[in-house]
Amino acid sequence: MPFMCLQTFGGPEMAVFRDEEARERGFEHAKRILIPREGTPGDRKKALEALQDLVDELGPVVDSYPSWHPLVAQPDGPISFRTPHARYGYEGLDHTIFFAHGFVTCPYPHAVKKVISSVEAIKVPDVATLTADCIDSPLYSTATTTIVVRCNWKQPLDPGKLVPKRLAIGLMLDTEIPHWHHADVAETWETMRGHFLGEPHGARSSFFVSQETAMAMKRIWISLIESGVFGPVYH
């Protein structure tokens, strides 16, 4: 197989991508995790404002990333996780919520340096850089520290904070082509769609890519599997 995905989150695939519903659902999930139950009403209001600021900056809350996203792209073996994981070098993550172009994690004080230093050591594709910064906001708990990890794209994103087609497809090829070395069979587009579009997604788009980009990815993937480079197509 071109990959084995061991970690995915979210519900069943959405045949129709209802953008606003998905945004609201993700935001409500983040509120349940990050808005502290202890503290004053003022603390909770400040936390809610901080969460909204993160959405405005980093894009909507997501369940998982496309395999090619710089936050998770590591084309070095058959195992693929689509959320930040110790396999990729992240250490100390705790109480974590993912956004389209970054994530927030709220470790207890003993793990703060571990998180920041691990992010700084991670190697990512040269189209982006990763940074980790503490912010003064009482997310999750007053006993934890809020750290924002950002994927800083070197090229402007398209409207809606979507990754431009050239970048998305180039990164997809960078990530997936090396898997031919250990592939036994090729997976169909229907099987791989969430792998390439991220979660949540619809049939032809997601919070990461436009319909035009998704359809270009589909055409390229079909050409690749039909070439036989990954082996016979698995049905």
Side-chain angles (χ1 to χ4, degrees):
M1 299 174 63
F3 83 105
M4 181 183 296
C5 183
L6 295 187
Q7 186 174 2
T8 58
F9 295 85
E13 177 184 319
M14 299 157 57
V16 177
F17 187 51
R18 295 180 173 87
D19 181 285
E20 289 305 317
E21 291 182 17
R23 288 175 186 271
E24 292 175 8
R25 184 166 54 250
F27 193 77
E28 289 302 313
H29 169 69
K31 284 171 59 178
R32 289 194 294 272
I33 300 299
L34 295 180
I35 305 304
R37 296 176 182 175
E38 78 275 16
T40 67
D43 290 335
R44 291 189 288 275
K45 180 181 178 182
K46 184 178 179 181
L48 184 60
E49 291 172 348
L51 176 58
Q52 185 61 63
D53 288 343
L54 289 170
V55 170
D56 292 343
E57 177 189 356
L58 302 176
V61 175
V62 299
D63 299 317
S64 66
Y65 296 98
S67 62
W68 46 264
H69 198 291
L71 286 167
V72 296
Q74 298 287 331
D76 62 351
I79 308 301
S80 177
F81 293 85
R82 292 195 285 121
T83 56
H85 189 272
R87 172 184 170 81
Y88 301 150
Y90 293 102
E91 297 182 16
L93 303 186
D94 204 359
H95 319 115
T96 304
I97 291 291
F98 311 112
F99 305 89
H101 303 291
F103 61 89
V104 63
T105 190
C106 303
Y108 290 95
H110 71 275
V112 171
K113 289 184 178 179
K114 182 183 296 185
V115 173
I116 293 175
S117 60
S118 71
V119 171
E120 291 174 345
I122 292 173
K123 295 180 179 180
V124 299
D126 61 7
V127 299
T129 60
L130 301 187
T131 55
D133 301 288
C134 298
I135 64 171
D136 182 19
S137 179
L139 293 180
Y140 184 73
S141 169
T142 55
T144 58
T145 299
T146 303
I147 301 175
V148 180
V149 178
R150 296 176 172 88
C151 175
N152 307 290
W153 295 94
K154 294 182 180 180
Q155 298 182 33
L157 296 173
D158 285 347
K161 298 187 185 299
L162 300 177
V163 180
K165 181 167 65 173
R166 180 172 183 268
L167 279 183
I169 292 177
L171 288 169
M172 168 187 157
L173 293 173
D174 283 347
T175 302
E176 298 304 323
I177 290 296
H179 291 309
W180 80 268
H181 291 282
H182 47 73
D184 296 318
V185 296
E187 300 280 3
T188 65
W189 170 257
E190 287 67 29
T191 300
M192 296 289 283
R193 181 163 44 202
H195 191 70
F196 294 142
L197 303 185
E199 299 285 357
H201 69 83
R204 299 183 179 181
S205 63
S206 70
F207 287 140
F208 300 95
V209 297
S210 67
Q211 177 172 314
E212 178 185 358
T213 299
M215 295 309 293
M217 286 179 160
K218 179 179 180 179
R219 291 191 297 270
I220 290 170
W221 184 250
I222 290 173
S223 295
L224 283 172
I225 64 174
E226 289 181 347
S227 75
V229 67
F230 296 123
V233 177
Y234 179 79
H235 293 288

